Amino acid sequence: MNRWMTVILTILLGMTAAHADTPKSVVTVMTHSSFSMSKELVADFETKSGITLRFLKAGDAGAALNQAILSKDHPMADVFFGVDNSMMGRGLDAGIFIPYRSSHLSDIPESLQLDSRHRLLPVDYGDVCLNYDKKWFQSHHLAPPQSIDDLTLPAYAGLCVVQHPASSSPGMAFLLATIGRYGEQGFVDYWKKLQANRVLIVDGWKEAYWGNFTAASKGSRPIVVSYATSPAAEVHFSKTPITEPPTGAVVAPGNAFRQIEFVGILAGTPRLDEAKRVVDFFLDIPFQEAIPLQMFMYPARQSAKLPEVFAKHAVMAEKPVIVSWEKIEANREGWLNRWADAALR
Amino acid sequence: MKRSQGWGHLLWIVPGLGLLFWFVFPILTVWRISLQGTDGVQWVRFLTSSLLWHTLGQGVVQATLSTLCTLTIALPISIIWLLYDVTGRRWLQILLTLPFVLPTVVVAAGFRAIWGAEGGWIRFLLEWIGFSIHEFPYGWAPVILAHVFYNVSVVFRVVTGYGSRIGAEVLESACCLGYSPFGVVRRVLLPMLRPAIVSAALVVFLFCFGSFGVVLLLGGSTMTTLDVEIYRQTVYFFHMRSAAQLSIVQFCCTLFVVILHRRLSPDASGIALFRSSVGSILGTPRSFRNRALLTGTAFAYTLSFGLPLAAILVQAFRTSTGWGVDYFSALLVNDSDALFFVAPVDAVIHSLQIACLASVFCLAFGFPAAQFLADPSPSFRMTTLVHGGFLLPLGASPVILGLGFILTFAVPPIDFRSSWLLIPVSHTLVAFPIFLQTVIPALRGVPDVLKQAATTLGSSSWHVWLRVQLPLIRNSLTAALILSFMISLGEFGATVFIARPHVPTLPIAIYRYLSQPGEMNYGRAMAMASILLGLTAFGFVVLERIGRRR
């Protein structure tokens, strides 16, 4: 008995000791749970700037943004990283971001700078599109889909798995791709046809990719909604070195939705200057060049160099579908309801 | 027994205040802010909306079915375990408890591995008997199956923890009086176990009613629960009003179920026979036929609960190039020098620290509360309400709780919105009701006669508690601690919505690996899940030892 008590007490004591640090100039960055960055880069920034970075993660991007909005009277962070264009309207309407015109913006394409007042600055982007299992299509003597139109053909019946747009951000992006492609009326018909063609709708990306996609699981769906960079991740994280990704991405014009992630300074921060320097750090070349292998997104900066595995295997959508954030913010709910009527019933 | 009159009815105040501060206060803040300017018309519109009634109806049906199935499957094995020494008894106990800690994604992966792709053996079997199902059947079946898989441990632990005090004499005399073995179980054992069964059923019902991950993941796109709906309303529509209204409904339902439960279950007392050994009541079955039958049943349970777990281990060890520990060694490599890289050792240490802390909190707050609820002073009329209050965290949506912490603890003297302490606190909140429901029936079962006898013989009330009551409830207390420990180790839902600095726990690490494509990520997630399994099994053995000493 006493021995066990000693063990437990030691563990508990170790815990209190491990968490007793309070540095001086701390900038808190609120972000979603998929945020990742190189340790070395952050340490380097901290020594050079004298600013200590503290990251707070609070669920997925939507949940984190809601927390930032609801706590706006007593903000718990200085900088927010990772609002995307399907959600940015909510943040901007709530007035939680203050404008900052970073000098790095000149190197970022206009097409990514969606907020003309620079309250939210683009930091990275990725195209949500169809991925397919190359081997499956080869062994079944079927051509991989060329566009999202193909999914309604009888030959592709029961082959595709997508995510629920009300609980998954790639799911939402794919819905937006269909809205942009077929129009605000046409997308309903498309989803009805998709449902008739036995599309499988699951809750989130993990369940779709790791649960049903034939290239990544014992599932039975060789087509999945994922990112155009996923094939590169398959190569990067393969166990044995491979030269050819096992999956392909459908990036023909008008077949993908470009998800852009933004960073912004939260209104009410008492450390505005430090917050600006942190935003600059996110937009600076070293950070931008680390984004691909940390988060599997493309850096927003044009002059950022891509790592080899990206340059070789990641693809970028040609002419992705465009739906403006103002329109998304005004219609999100109506679209989701009409989607549910078409796809679920 | 005048002992409890002095301070007994004040016992609930400390845990009550804790709950008020850490739970009621945050939730009320979210309600207050979200419901600003909500008038009667809006309430009427909400109360007549199909959103509410559809969600509620489906939740009730689903939770009832899940609870019934769980009881049907858990009770036979609990009774066999109580009555007889079956081969591999201790392993069976550990095995039945393990599923509880597993993250939903991992369980789903385990199920699917057994279900199999083309050529998988369950599918082969189904096709052979004439069913041809090609797709994993999202919907009711896997949700209920997963709920059973998760919750059998609750029933098993609560019932066996409680029942182990029943002495062989009662059952043997029943046999002598001419009852068949089934008669003994039905007429004698089950009525004696009733408080524990009802208690466990209540917890299981509330668990399934508030199910989040399982329903999102396995329920397909048309199934829903209040928790799932609250998540969607909050995160995707930012309808804080609907979310708050739904969470109020959820709390009312929880309270209603608790009150119903107290009305339905009469006071359980008078189980006067007990013994101190933790062995089975009747020992090894005598006839060969019985022995074979029981071993067979135990084996069937081992198989059905062990297979999904084994599937996870298989996936962790089988790489594309053959069997090996490559995924485990890959856990140690931070291949892109990531800031949030979780070294497995760190995750294990954090998880263990948090679980220990949460169990200690549960004990510190739960024990006085249980003591009070088990033996309420007759002059105190609000017992049911207090009991309901203590069980309320079961009906809390993790999203709302996460928001509550942020909104409430915002002003400097108590600004710990981003303190790591919130993690063990939220785990405690989740585990607390289960702790209570495990300990209360045991406390009620301690016969007053014994306490009175000890007092008559000159023991102080403290002595009576330490020497009479505590030894008698030791098994249940151990079971309760094990459940709390386990809940904390496996908790994901509440943890992920709390704004927290980097304190990785094992489930969080598993989810992180699963959020990117690539074979190595999946392999590492499975390796991490195996570590979680191993750690949990180890934790049980240790706690079990602690419980048995003294």
Side-chain angles (χ1 to χ4, degrees):
Chain A
M1 179 79 187
N2 281 333
R3 193 148 40 102
W4 293 116
M5 288 305 279
T6 323
V7 171
I8 292 173
L9 280 178
T10 319
I11 292 175
L12 290 179
L13 282 178
M15 192 158 184
T16 44
H19 294 276
D21 52 324
T22 39
K24 278 161 204 155
S25 179
V26 185
V27 170
T28 307
V29 180
M30 195 153 174
T31 183
H32 50 69
S33 41
S34 326
F35 177 83
S36 174
M37 197 21 70
S38 149
K39 201 182 258 172
E40 204 185 326
L41 265 181
V42 172
D44 197 40
F45 170 75
E46 286 181 335
T47 41
K48 276 186 191 150
S49 63
I51 296 172
T52 305
L53 284 176
R54 189 161 150 269
F55 291 93
L56 284 185
K57 295 184 168 193
D60 50 25
L65 179 66
N66 290 350
Q67 297 200 347
I69 293 175
L70 287 170
S71 63
K72 68 176 175 183
D73 293 339
H74 306 279
M76 56 195 302
D78 309 295
V79 174
F80 191 99
F81 185 106
V83 203
D84 75 355
N85 45 337
S86 72
M87 287 280 183
M88 68 188 281
R90 184 184 297 168
L92 292 179
D93 287 353
I96 58 167
F97 296 110
I98 48 178
Y100 171 51
R101 193 183 252 284
S102 167
S103 58
H104 296 307
L105 282 172
S106 56
D107 190 36
I108 294 177
E110 285 289 326
S111 61
L112 296 180
Q113 300 189 30
L114 301 186
D115 177 28
S116 52
R117 288 171 54 196
H118 307 295
R119 289 162 294 182
L120 283 172
L121 295 80
V123 63
D124 59 42
Y125 65 95
D127 298 318
V128 173
C129 64
L130 298 177
N131 278 202
Y132 58 86
D133 180 358
K134 286 182 180 167
K135 222 200 236 156
W136 191 95
F137 279 99
Q138 219 162 38
S139 65
H140 286 73
H141 307 292
L142 187 67
Q146 300 297 307
S147 76
I148 57 181
D149 302 344
D150 287 355
L151 298 184
T152 58
L153 300 175
Y156 295 91
L159 297 189
C160 181
V161 54
V162 305
Q163 300 87 359
H164 197 303
S167 51
S168 150
S169 69
M172 186 69 200
F174 185 64
L175 172 63
L176 291 171
T178 64
I179 292 171
R181 185 177 176 84
Y182 303 107
E184 284 187 58
Q185 301 308 319
F187 89 95
V188 176
D189 290 332
Y190 174 79
W191 280 94
K192 277 184 187 150
K193 281 188 213 152
L194 216 53
Q195 201 230 9
N197 221 14
R198 303 209 320 272
V199 67
L200 178 65
I201 301 165
V202 299
D203 146 61
W205 183 89
K206 292 184 185 72
E207 184 61 12
Y209 204 88
W210 295 121
N212 289 283
F213 187 37
T214 49
S217 71
K218 292 195 170 207
S220 56
R221 302 281 174 155
I223 307 174
V224 68
V225 169
S226 189
Y227 288 84
T229 51
S230 303
E234 285 288 348
V235 175
H236 186 68
F237 289 112
S238 76
K239 188 170 167 291
T240 43
I242 47 175
T243 48
E244 196 54 28
T247 59
V250 180
V251 288
N255 275 284
F257 180 79
R258 181 155 292 171
Q259 214 178 19
I260 308 171
E261 279 200 299
F262 296 86
V263 60
I265 299 174
L266 289 165
T269 168
R271 287 167 289 271
L272 188 58
D273 286 335
E274 287 94 335
K276 283 180 177 171
R277 285 170 72 188
V278 172
V279 171
D280 282 340
F281 163 62
F282 290 148
L283 297 179
D284 206 355
I285 292 293
F287 189 97
Q288 289 281 309
E289 287 184 344
I291 284 175
L293 289 185
Q294 293 289 347
M295 291 182 264
F296 279 84
M297 297 288 263
Y298 279 99
R301 291 279 298 270
Q302 282 161 331
S303 52
K305 280 193 200 71
L306 292 176
E308 199 192 332
V309 64
F310 247 63
K312 265 193 195 155
H313 303 295
V315 280
M316 209 183 285
E318 307 163 41
K319 295 198 192 139
V321 164
I322 291 171
V323 186
S324 78
W325 64 266
E326 293 95 337
K327 218 165 153 188
I328 298 173
E329 188 54 29
N331 296 299
R332 188 188 292 112
E333 202 180 340
W335 285 342
L336 276 172
N337 286 336
R338 287 170 58 206
W339 172 84
D341 283 338
L344 302 183
R345 270 144 222 168
Chain B
M1 267 317 282
K2 291 286 161 220
R3 170 187 63 87
S4 59
Q5 291 304 318
W7 46 274
H9 72 282
L10 296 176
L11 273 176
W12 64 281
I13 288 185
V14 172
L17 283 179
L19 199 73
L20 215 58
F21 182 74
W22 288 109
F23 181 73
V24 179
F25 186 32
I27 298 278
L28 280 181
T29 316
V30 177
W31 287 354
R32 183 173 53 79
I33 291 173
S34 312
L35 293 174
Q36 265 166 4
T38 309
D39 55 22
V41 182
Q42 277 155 334
W43 270 105
V44 171
R45 200 178 301 151
F46 169 73
L47 288 173
T48 51
S49 66
S50 68
L51 171 80
L52 171 67
W53 293 106
H54 175 74
T55 314
L56 204 57
Q58 206 180 49
V60 170
V61 174
Q62 177 268 113
T64 313
L65 276 176
S66 300
T67 312
L68 289 178
C69 292
T70 308
L71 285 179
T72 316
I73 291 179
L75 280 182
I77 193 66
S78 311
I79 287 169
I80 290 178
W81 197 88
L82 269 178
L83 289 182
Y84 295 108
D85 271 329
V86 205
T87 332
R89 199 162 181 269
R90 288 192 53 195
W91 291 109
L92 187 67
Q93 185 187 27
I94 290 177
L95 189 71
L96 286 179
T97 328
L98 276 181
F100 208 87
V101 292
L102 283 177
T104 336
V105 191
V106 176
V107 169
F111 275 172
R112 210 175 282 96
I114 302 176
W115 179 259
E118 289 159 41
W121 60 272
I122 285 204
R123 192 185 293 183
F124 177 76
L125 214 68
L126 282 172
E127 270 162 23
W128 189 65
I129 55 172
F131 284 106
S132 78
I133 308 169
H134 298 289
E135 211 81 61
F136 188 76
Y138 287 95
W140 291 79
V143 166
I144 290 177
L145 204 67
H147 281 162
V148 170
F149 187 66
Y150 273 116
N151 292 321
V152 158
S153 52
V154 175
V155 178
F156 181 79
R157 283 282 167 174
V158 175
V159 170
T160 54
Y162 181 78
S164 56
R165 299 170 308 115
I166 297 171
E169 305 82 26
V170 202
L171 304 181
E172 273 159 6
S173 45
C175 282
C176 291
L177 291 170
Y179 274 132
S180 70
F182 285 106
V184 174
V185 169
R186 203 164 64 88
R187 298 289 175 92
V188 184
L189 193 60
L190 279 181
M192 285 175 118
L193 291 175
R194 200 184 140 166
I197 295 173
V198 174
S199 192
L202 170 82
V203 170
V204 173
F205 180 88
L206 289 177
F207 253 148
C208 299
F209 187 67
S211 176
F212 180 66
V214 170
V215 173
L216 261 183
L217 220 58
L218 299 175
S221 40
T222 50
M223 257 186 110
T224 179
T225 61
L226 284 172
D227 260 45
V228 169
E229 213 49 58
I230 290 172
Y231 169 76
R232 286 189 177 146
Q233 293 293 325
T234 316
V235 174
Y236 277 83
F237 301 125
F238 204 41
H239 282 176
M240 289 314 295
R241 179 181 295 152
S242 312
Q245 286 169 325
L246 284 168
S247 86
I248 290 178
V249 169
Q250 193 173 20
F251 280 104
C252 294
C253 293
T254 311
L255 260 183
F256 176 75
V257 172
V258 174
I259 292 170
L260 198 72
H261 156 72
R262 280 190 73 99
R263 285 280 145 81
L264 287 181
S265 69
D267 249 299
S269 53
I271 301 185
L273 292 147
F274 42 82
R275 53 194 243 166
S276 48
S277 111
V278 272
S280 61
I281 300 174
L282 297 181
T284 325
R286 272 154 227 164
S287 76
F288 176 74
R289 210 180 113 244
N290 281 353
R291 210 175 310 156
L293 196 71
L294 291 173
T295 313
T297 319
F299 186 69
Y301 273 91
T302 311
L303 207 63
S304 29
F305 280 81
L307 267 180
L309 304 180
I312 292 162
L313 293 181
V314 167
Q315 291 184 43
F317 285 103
R318 192 172 58 191
T319 66
S320 56
T321 49
W323 297 84
V325 291
D326 309 34
Y327 291 143
F328 287 88
S329 48
L331 282 177
L332 299 166
V333 183
N334 182 0
D335 45 21
S336 45
D337 181 36
L339 182 62
F340 300 108
F341 167 72
V342 183
V345 182
D346 288 349
V348 167
I349 291 175
H350 278 126
S351 279
L352 275 181
Q353 288 175 330
I354 290 169
C356 283
L357 208 58
S359 316
V360 170
F361 284 169
C362 270
L363 187 67
F365 286 95
F367 199 77
Q371 187 94 49
F372 165 75
L373 289 171
D375 187 18
S377 86
S379 59
F380 192 73
R381 298 198 167 263
M382 285 181 12
T383 317
T384 309
L385 209 63
V386 172
H387 193 175
F390 282 141
L391 295 190
L392 272 187
L394 274 182
S397 149
V399 195
I400 300 276
L401 193 63
L403 286 177
F405 282 159
I406 283 175
L407 292 178
T408 314
F409 305 132
V411 199
I414 47 164
D415 186 4
F416 26 66
R417 288 181 291 184
S418 51
S419 159
W420 64 272
L421 193 70
L422 289 180
I423 300 171
V425 165
S426 63
H427 290 184
T428 309
L429 286 174
V430 180
F432 184 73
I434 309 212
F435 184 93
L436 276 188
Q437 289 306 99
T438 314
V439 176
I440 291 176
L443 280 172
R444 288 212 182 118
V446 176
D448 277 344
V449 200
L450 277 187
K451 294 188 262 182
Q452 284 154 1
T455 317
T456 318
L457 292 172
S459 295
S460 67
S461 57
W462 159 249
H463 221 84
V464 172
W465 180 79
L466 189 72
R467 290 297 154 120
V468 179
Q469 202 166 13
L470 207 56
L472 285 177
I473 63 156
R474 197 200 295 152
N475 285 325
S476 288
L477 201 59
T478 313
L481 276 177
I482 286 175
L483 283 170
S484 323
F485 187 78
M486 220 161 51
I487 287 169
S488 171
L489 274 186
E491 158 62 39
F492 176 75
T495 317
V496 78
F497 290 113
I498 292 171
R500 73 215 131 68
H502 193 52
V503 185
T505 64
L506 281 165
I508 299 265
I510 293 170
Y511 270 73
R512 275 197 58 74
Y513 282 123
L514 284 177
S515 60
Q516 276 182 352
E519 183 196 352
M520 278 318 261
N521 286 323
Y522 190 75
R524 281 186 243 197
M526 290 302 140
M528 210 53 138
S530 314
I531 294 179
L532 178 62
L533 273 177
L535 187 69
T536 316
F538 178 74
F540 294 165
V541 174
V542 170
L543 277 170
E544 213 89 55
R545 282 271 157 81
I546 296 179
R548 204 164 306 169
R549 294 244 178 116
R550 287 208 41 184

